[in-house]
Amino acid sequence: MPEKLLIIGGVAGGATAAARARRLSESAEIVVFERGPYISFANCGLPYHIGGVIKKRDDLLVTTAEMFHKRNGIDVRINTEVLAIDRQHQTVFARNRQTGEEYAETYDCLILSPGAAPIRPPCEGIDGENIFTLRNIPDMDRINTYVAGASPTAAVIAGGGFIGLEMAENLVFRGIHTTIVERLEQVMSPLDMDMAGFVHAHLKEKGVDVILGDGICAFEKKDGRMTVRTDGGKTIACDMAVLSVGIRPETGLAMDAGLEIGETGAIAVDATMRTSDPHIFAVGDAVEVRDYITGKKTLTPLAGPANKQGRIAADNAMKRTSVFCGTLGTAIVKVFDLTVAQTGLNEKTAIKWGVPYLVSHTHSGSHAGYYPGGETISIKMLFSPNNGRILGAQMVGKDGVDKRIDVIATALYGNMTVFDLQRLELAYAPPYGSAKDPVNIAGYVASNLLKKDLENIHAGELAALDPEAYVLLDVRSKIELKLTGRIEGALHINIDELRERMDTLDRDKIYVTYCAVGYRAYLAYRLLTQNGFTAKNLSGGYETYRMASGLMVSD
């Protein structure tokens, strides 16, 4: 067991590693270097303090250096930056950022947890005093101080990822009109476009302006305010901007020390979190890890994996074998009234790595329909066409999304299939769920596809259909068509009238059935195919089509 363990960086990975190492060895000398003033803080909570949801700033401090030292007997050196690593002599060189003192410290084992830095694109005027990033407590303090002092009325957020969406919500809570500018054609890149559409609609409903497929190229001061210019020629007047265009692994120390950098640009580690140097481990946002589904190298800048990796690195540094089995990238975010979550593969990733897949869309109630307050949970699931193994899921809804995404994440780690989802016995009482939980229903629909009891077509495929061969068949009620619209050119026959009106249909045509969310269209599909017609079902119904197409009810 090493006599001396140095850890560079605190927060999720480094602080966890330090505490774990102490539990394994009371005799080891453990030193943590943290270049900031806080050893461990809840960085996921930063936007919510800005919005006033989390009232007390100190509630974000998981622990202080003094508390951490007192409880764990660990030497914590905050405001101390490690300048270099001498691998040959197993020595690090550090500088106290307050006093300027520089010194050397030897080690038997070293754990790197340097994290990642916000990307600041090379835009004109990007260093303006009212242009912010949000990565730590000092960043949060700067934003709060500016908002309190300048009373801004309008803000622009560059980027529609997790932090960008959380900041949009919390700036709106502060009474600031907010515009999101996203270079991609959608917010939330881990989602596929048909699921991101739900988020776009909700942001619009909450008064957030969203500019997609366009990036920011310049920030200019004009008439006492700031003007943001985009590549597409748009100009947006505002008082402040928040950069949320992504993060870059902090690999400078590792590169200078000659450690191997992986194909993703992050520090290469094995399953024990060991780098190319047997005495050095690395964890958190700065490392590349194995994707649990594909086995490919990936980046997962999330607190959950960083915590696990910190514990695993400490185990192995202390000569206790432990391995990181890979990441699913399970993540969840609150966007005003919506909860948005994902785990495993999305379509973009499956296509990138050549993973065969099928897709199902379902829209189910968060709990029993007869109990007040139920909300719809929209689920998109990817699964193997060969054996039904679950590959990934995306969910959007106002209630109950969190527990359902965790069920699917658990199923993914267990290499379960969609047939297993049918059989899961999940907790049910009217306030919490249904006898057939949304997870069960997702399993039923996916299983029907595998058993050829259903053949789907997806919203993105409709435009390419030959109108001479295909007929869209809308089986909803007339009132639904009036309230929400319909797909242009669709034939309308209410599901309850279809059996009696089948003799009016052309048996040479292929009918694409759809309803609001899929169940009645499935009934129509079964009815038609068992009576000699050729049919397909529009996956997820009109609701998925509407969101995938960017259509609002008002349209």
Side-chain angles (χ1 to χ4, degrees), residues 485-552:
R486 63 196 290 182
I487 302 175
E488 185 177 353
L491 171 67
H492 174 246
I493 301 177
N494 189 306
I495 182 63
D496 296 328
E497 301 171 1
L498 182 58
R499 185 171 277 104
E500 288 73 30
R501 293 180 58 183
M502 274 195 300
D503 58 356
T504 66
L505 301 180
D506 186 345
R507 292 183 177 274
D508 293 328
K509 301 288 188 181
I510 302 170
Y511 287 90
V512 178
T513 62
Y514 76 89
C515 61
V517 297
Y519 178 64
R520 287 169 292 173
Y522 168 60
L523 298 180
Y525 172 91
R526 297 299 299 165
L527 177 60
L528 291 173
T529 55
Q530 291 184 82
N531 280 276
F533 290 89
T534 302
K536 295 179 185 289
N537 173 72
L538 179 60
S539 183
Y542 185 69
E543 182 70 0
T544 296
Y545 168 82
R546 194 163 63 88
M547 294 304 166
S549 305
L551 301 175
M552 305 299 129

Side-chain angles (χ1 to χ4, degrees), residues 51-265:
V53 178
I54 298 172
K55 303 294 183 184
K56 297 180 180 178
R57 178 182 181 276
D58 287 353
D59 287 347
L60 296 173
L61 302 178
V62 177
T63 187
T64 65
E66 294 77 13
M67 292 169 58
F68 199 73
H69 169 72
K70 187 173 183 179
R71 174 163 293 182
N72 298 292
I74 291 172
D75 183 355
V76 180
R77 303 179 189 178
I78 58 174
N79 297 307
T80 301
E81 183 176 11
V82 173
L83 305 173
I85 302 168
D86 180 347
R87 292 168 50 200
Q88 182 178 358
H89 299 97
Q90 293 183 213
T91 301
V92 304
F93 300 92
R95 178 175 60 210
N96 185 309
R97 300 179 74 181
Q98 292 180 317
T99 66
E101 177 195 3
E102 295 188 7
Y103 59 92
E105 199 76 56
T106 60
Y107 64 85
D108 295 311
C109 274
L110 177 65
I111 297 177
L112 300 178
S113 180
I119 294 172
R120 296 182 70 92
C123 298
E124 178 186 340
I126 199 166
D127 294 323
E129 60 187 14
N130 53 349
I131 300 172
F132 305 94
T133 57
L134 182 62
R135 189 67 179 165
N136 52 41
I137 296 277
D139 289 342
M140 180 191 73
D141 290 341
R142 282 189 285 271
I143 294 174
N144 268 335
T145 299
Y146 178 81
V147 171
S151 299
T153 60
V156 169
I157 296 176
F162 289 91
I163 296 297
L165 294 180
E166 290 171 345
M167 278 303 300
E169 175 182 352
N170 284 284
L171 290 177
V172 169
F173 288 165
R174 293 289 292 265
I176 302 171
H177 178 76
T178 302
T179 301
I180 296 173
V181 181
E182 170 54 61
R183 191 173 295 277
L184 301 177
E185 295 293 338
Q186 64 170 87
V187 300
M188 287 288 292
S189 61
L191 298 183
D192 291 317
M193 181 68 83
D194 48 7
M195 298 300 284
F198 291 94
V199 185
H200 298 160
H202 193 62
L203 289 168
K204 178 179 178 181
E205 177 187 329
K206 293 298 181 179
V208 177
D209 293 332
V210 182
I211 298 173
L212 299 172
D214 202 356
I216 292 174
C217 63
F219 300 89
E220 301 170 344
K221 286 187 175 181
K222 186 176 181 181
D223 300 328
R225 301 189 76 195
M226 181 165 63
T227 297
V228 174
R229 286 196 290 113
T230 73
D231 295 324
K234 293 183 175 66
T235 58
I236 310 157
C238 64
D239 304 296
M240 62 179 291
V242 179
L243 304 178
S244 180
V245 295
I247 56 176
R248 182 182 292 111
E250 292 265 27
T251 57
L253 269 179
M255 292 177 68
D256 291 346
L259 296 177
E260 181 184 348
I261 303 300
E263 59 197 62
T264 66

